[in-house]
Amino acid sequence: MKKKYLFGPIILALVLFAGVVFVPVSWLVKLVPADRLAESATSLEPNMFQGTYLQSEMLKRSTYVPIYGSSELSRWDPFHPSNYFETNDATFTPYLIGKGGMTSIIHDVNFATHAAQLKNKQMVIIVSPQWFVKHGTDEQHFAPNYSSLQAYQLPFNKEVNEQVKRKLMQRLMTYNAVKNDPILYQLYDAYLNDKKVMFNTLSVPAKAYISILEKKDLYFTLLKDKPTNRHQSGEVKDKSWEELKAQADSYGEKRTQHSKFYIDDKVYNHKKHYIKSMEGKNKGHSYAESPEYGDFQLMLDILKEAKAKPLFVIIPVNGAYYDYTGFTEKGRQDYYTRIKKQINDSDFTYADYSDHEYDPYFMRDTIHIGWKGWVYLDEDMQKFLEKH
């Protein structure tokens, strides 16, 4: 009798698994709620970044303007693009794609996945200096953000330049998240070394796994996102840019009365002891040299070939705090110069905020744009979209 009780749950689990795997995609798509795409525009849920369905649907619609970035996107206040453009009844909706730890390499794979949909697509890409650390993105930041689905799709992608695709695959193979996936790693190795028989053999389980991951993506799409705590406010409605900057100054001043370096009081109070311990600790640090520049170039190459229309946003650091830690101004300026040259050489447009390092209330803390910084971005974003 015990064996019957044992096999019952196993058989049920296998039946359920088979049901999940073999349910037609077309059935699942029909179950996606009509408001799911609009809801996901501000959800900042990793399942959306690591999948493909919602982004594909977003890219089909001219009413959405994607903003790619990292942790700054979750720094909500009334001046945040999601609130500003919604409050002012814009003809478009910002669609946020990014979270802490997402750097060029993560966005590269994402752009490669959607390359066929990027032609003439207007977008905003926020580039952060802290991406460009000496050794590049580490495993701790790569692994939670990397998309297994997008990585498996890459060798079969016909939309990306062959040389760029190979460089991207070689870069991905340096991370343990890829090394520890035997099918993916060997698939890449076979592709890069022209082992056709091996590649064709591995393609069978790889494509089967892609199918499972695509179903998983759709199942997650059916789930309702957790509500965001974003700051929705009408106080930025129908204001001139100068009025908004003055308003942001006042807003920031009220929230930095008990901190140094114009850091948000809540952030400062939470990290006060850490900040005190950082005095002079970053002597000799620089953003001048990093593997990230190569990763960023791959992004530029993918977008250029896809004929996308990006506006790059060059975020500064909190200059007063960086001086306090001993991080040299030259180590920052070398970064600003190099990143602008890369963007210029690719004939793309950028908004340069590097001269706002010491501008009060431009940054919310030591590295994240906020308050007045958002106002500048809103204005530049509006001008860019009108021009293009």
Side-chain angles (χ1 to χ4, degrees):
M1 292 297 290
K2 288 184 179 181
K3 288 186 177 180
K4 289 183 180 180
Y5 287 120
L6 175 65
F7 286 116
I10 293 176
I11 293 171
L12 178 60
L14 290 172
V15 170
L16 290 173
F17 176 75
V20 168
V21 172
F22 295 109
V23 169
V25 169
S26 59
W27 290 12
L28 295 174
V29 169
K30 290 177 182 179
L31 297 176
V32 176
D35 63 348
R36 188 66 181 87
L37 187 60
E39 177 190 73
S40 67
T42 56
S43 72
L44 292 171
E45 282 290 327
N47 292 327
M48 181 269 287
F49 311 146
Q50 294 169 326
T52 59
Y53 176 78
L54 284 170
Q55 286 192 71
S56 292
E57 291 300 302
M58 176 272 295
L59 290 169
K60 292 175 184 177
R61 293 161 170 78
S62 60
T63 53
Y64 286 101
V65 176
I67 304 180
Y68 301 89
S70 49
S71 53
E72 72 285 332
L73 294 177
S74 63
R75 267 54 183 182
W76 306 106
D77 63 55
F79 312 99
H80 188 292
S82 289
N83 182 68
Y84 172 77
F85 289 111
E86 179 182 347
T87 299
N88 285 280
D89 302 318
T91 58
F92 62 88
T93 299
Y95 194 96
L96 309 180
I97 303 172
K99 65 182 284 287
M102 286 180 68
T103 57
S104 297
I105 187 69
I106 302 296
H107 290 302
D108 290 349
V109 186
N110 191 23
F111 286 134
T113 300
H114 299 284
Q117 294 182 283
L118 299 182
K119 186 175 182 179
N120 295 323
K121 185 66 179 180
Q122 294 174 304
M123 62 181 69
V124 175
I125 302 172
I126 299 175
V127 186
S128 299
Q130 63 271 16
W131 294 1
F132 295 79
V133 292
K134 186 174 182 180
H135 299 293
T137 305
D138 59 19
E139 195 72 35
Q140 181 181 354
H141 292 93
F142 175 82
N145 293 304
Y146 132 92
S147 168
S148 184
L149 170 58
Q150 294 175 3
Y152 264 92
Q153 290 174 328
L154 185 60
F156 308 106
N157 190 323
K158 305 296 184 183
E159 303 295 331
V160 179
N161 175 276
E162 182 65 18
Q163 186 177 3
V164 171
K165 182 163 73 170
R166 285 175 172 269
K167 286 181 180 178
L168 182 52
M169 291 167 69
Q170 288 168 345
R171 183 76 173 102
L172 290 170
M173 290 175 76
T174 65
Y175 288 100
N176 289 334
V178 175
K179 289 179 183 178
N180 294 335
D181 185 330
I183 293 179
L184 182 61
Y185 189 85
Q186 292 301 322
L187 186 73
Y188 279 14
D189 178 74
Y191 186 94
L192 292 170
N193 293 291
D194 298 319
K195 302 175 183 176
K196 294 183 180 179
V197 174
M198 177 63 76
F199 181 78
N200 290 335
T201 301
L202 290 170
S203 293
V204 176
K207 288 182 177 180
Y209 190 46
I210 288 172
S211 179
I212 292 173
L213 291 174
E214 287 174 336
K215 296 276 179 59
K216 178 184 174 183
D217 179 27
L218 277 168
Y219 281 115
F220 276 122
T221 299
L222 297 177
L223 301 176
K224 190 174 180 64
D225 288 333
K226 298 175 184 176
T228 60
N229 60 349
R230 72 188 185 104
H231 192 126
Q232 293 179 277
S233 170
E235 60 191 289
V236 296
K237 187 174 178 62
D238 298 329
K239 300 282 200 313
S240 70
W241 296 118
E242 290 308 311
E243 287 174 329
L244 284 169
K245 288 169 188 174
Q247 190 176 344
D249 276 336
S250 178
Y251 192 93
E253 184 179 13
K254 291 176 183 176
R255 285 157 178 79
T256 57
Q257 292 181 4
H258 307 289
S259 68
K260 294 181 179 180
F261 315 118
Y262 300 107
I263 295 173
D264 184 300
D265 286 337
K266 291 181 180 178
V267 176
Y268 186 81
N269 290 334
H270 181 62
K271 296 191 173 183
K272 186 184 297 183
H273 297 296
Y274 171 78
I275 290 172
K276 286 182 179 179
S277 73
M278 285 302 295
E279 185 173 5
K281 287 291 181 68
N282 285 337
K283 287 181 180 178
H285 286 215
S286 172
Y287 292 139
E289 300 295 332
S290 171
E292 184 71 24
Y293 289 103
D295 295 341
F296 184 69
Q297 188 60 51
L298 290 175
M299 180 194 299
L300 295 170
D301 293 341
I302 292 167
L303 294 173
K304 190 173 183 65
E305 186 186 14
K307 296 181 171 57
K309 292 185 176 180
L311 168 67
F312 288 92
V313 181
I314 300 173
I315 300 296
V317 298
N318 183 320
Y321 174 75
Y322 266 61
D323 290 343
Y324 166 80
T325 68
F327 197 114
T328 66
E329 184 177 358
K330 184 180 185 303
R332 288 124 59 182
Q333 292 301 325
D334 286 348
Y335 155 74
Y336 297 133
T337 299
R338 187 169 178 179
I339 203 72
K340 283 185 277 190
K341 184 179 186 306
Q342 281 188 266
I343 298 170
N344 269 327
D345 289 348
S346 295
D347 297 320
F348 286 135
T349 303
Y350 63 82
D352 180 13
Y353 301 150
S354 59
D355 59 349
H356 289 279
E357 281 196 345
Y358 299 97
D359 190 349
Y361 321 121
F362 195 93
M363 305 295 287
R364 181 172 181 155
D365 47 42
T366 60
I367 57 175
H368 296 110
I369 191 173
W371 307 325
K372 189 159 67 175
W374 283 133
V375 177
Y376 276 83
L377 191 148
D378 293 337
E379 181 178 10
D380 286 329
M381 189 170 165
Q382 180 73 56
K383 290 177 179 176
F384 171 76
L385 294 172
E386 289 174 351
K387 184 178 179 180
H388 292 77

